[in-house]
Amino acid sequence: MSTKGIRDFRPELHFTPKSGWINDPNGLVYADGKYHLFAQYYPEPQWGPMHWYHATSTDLIHWEHLPVALEPDELGFIFSGSAVYDKDNTSGFGKDGKAPIIAMYTSHLNLDNSGLAKEQQSIAYSLDGVHFTKYEGNPVLPSDRKDFRDPKVFRNPFKDCWSVVLAAGDHVEFYASQDLKHWEKTGEFGPEGNYSQGVWECPDLFPLVVNGEEKWVLLLSMGGNEENHGARTQYFTGSFDGNSFTCDGQFTQPEFIDAGFDNYAGVTFFGTQERLLVGWACNWVYAHKTPTGEYCCQMTIPRAVKLIDTPKGGLRLAWEPKDSTVFGGTESFDGTLYSEVFKLTVTGSGAAAVTLSNDKGQSFVFGVDDENRAYIDRAKGGANDFDENFARDWYSQIAEPRFYDDEWEIEFIFDHSITEMFIDYGTRAFTSTVYPDTPYNKVTVSGNAEVKLHSLS
Ligand code: FRU
């Protein structure tokens, strides 16, 4: 029996579509005082011919739902991509002094029913930030390739032009353009230097400053990857010379932006001061069976990203959720929870565990173990009979070594059916769904730790 829709699991802080299915965040762009979020979308709560969903926000928590931005056409489904604000009208799509938002996406054409496909890149523009017109010269990057997708456009400071990074099977490719319509290849990265299995998807490339030095970070989602729990986004640090990325060889094993089970295909916004990422907070292995009824899947809370020089792990990406408009200071707290949305701060040293439990005896556990690893365990957290993989320990329990010793602080956000945990200044993040049959209403602690509850403001 399907348990889809057994109770209302819809999160409040995490973005969900009004109804239907979403996967990857697309076209993240800040323009005219608004954050635009697009997403891979199908009107039924299951994957299908892809559209782009669209919503805007001024605070990254409250979203206004807008009409679907892009629908499938004769070039195919509208697969993942990005958007930029073309303030100098380099594309010529601007009009009457109004600068356009330009979306670049993959046109995915199925050639038969056996998975044979051709993927090319197309663009569309908008002058009002709501309605998009596809360029009549599409595709702007024609190809016959099956895996050639997810263009992420960025401003190239070395050549004063646009650049795009695209996933091409087992490597990424870079192209440059002056007008977003004509593209020329400038370089490649991979497969050398990669330590993870899976098809390369959803790349992103951006600079961050650490210790006064600029480093470029390449994000890559590794598709269809059982070895790495199904949904993992890898990252590399290195340099960009305006043509291609060179990895600095800091890592000798795959390093991921999130250790949880539900953060995939994350990319960052164009046009913000702070570098902000949104990820798809679900996992391809079981997403389509999750018991949420009329909608399927959600996004992570947008997170700021930094590079931190850690005592035990060298340079590491660190994440900070942008939830400050929702949670205020700490309130006195006797271990009882009255809401299905809450944030806990846990300070501890050595091993300690925090257990959230409900009246059905279901519990979600997180903390630090006696090998100084941060961990989460959702194995007994709630309903898991909707999918055989979700029910496996492989998709329920995970522990990762910390990059720090001794004292620690965990920030833990719970939102109906999705958890986000950050430890050690966000240098370890764990994002995971869980579907308790009744709300968690109790917090218990073992070991040397103290829990504080934040008030909802
Ligand atoms: C990643 C992905 C992308 C593709 C999209 C299709 O999750 O497979 O590579 O563009 O989803 O929906």
Side-chain angles (χ1 to χ4, degrees), residues 265-321:
V267 283
T268 63
F269 273 89
F270 178 90
T272 52
Q273 289 289 329
E274 219 178 6
R275 191 50 68 172
L276 296 173
L277 176 130
V278 175
W280 177 48
C282 219
N283 186 321
W284 279 116
V285 171
Y286 48 73
H288 55 295
K289 292 197 190 152
T290 50
T292 54
E294 60 174 357
Y295 79 95
C296 197
C297 297
Q298 55 277 313
M299 299 300 179
T300 65
I301 292 175
R303 349 180 134 165
V305 51
K306 279 179 253 158
L307 267 175
I308 297 186
D309 205 353
T310 63
K312 294 172 73 181
L315 288 188
R316 295 287 160 171
L317 288 186
W319 305 97
E320 182 200 337

Side-chain angles (χ1 to χ4, degrees), residues 23-24 40 47 50 79-80 149-150 201-202 264-265 284:
N23 56 284
D24 314 359
Q40 289 286 279
W47 194 89
M50 286 285 106
F79 268 21
S80 286
R149 59 178 176 269
D150 310 338
E201 299 185 317
C202 302
Y264 192 69
W284 279 116

Side-chain angles (χ1 to χ4, degrees), residues 82-127:
S82 53
V84 294
Y85 182 56
D86 181 17
K87 68 174 176 20
D88 298 326
N89 194 23
T90 60
S91 62
F93 291 128
K95 216 173 145 191
D96 304 331
K98 190 90 188 97
I101 293 177
I102 316 270
M104 187 170 190
Y105 57 91
T106 299
S107 295
H108 170 100
L109 194 64
N110 283 333
L111 297 175
D112 64 12
N113 290 329
S114 72
L116 196 63
K118 122 167 156 174
E119 297 192 328
Q120 324 189 77
Q121 318 315 316
S122 298
I123 57 175
Y125 64 94
S126 174
L127 293 172

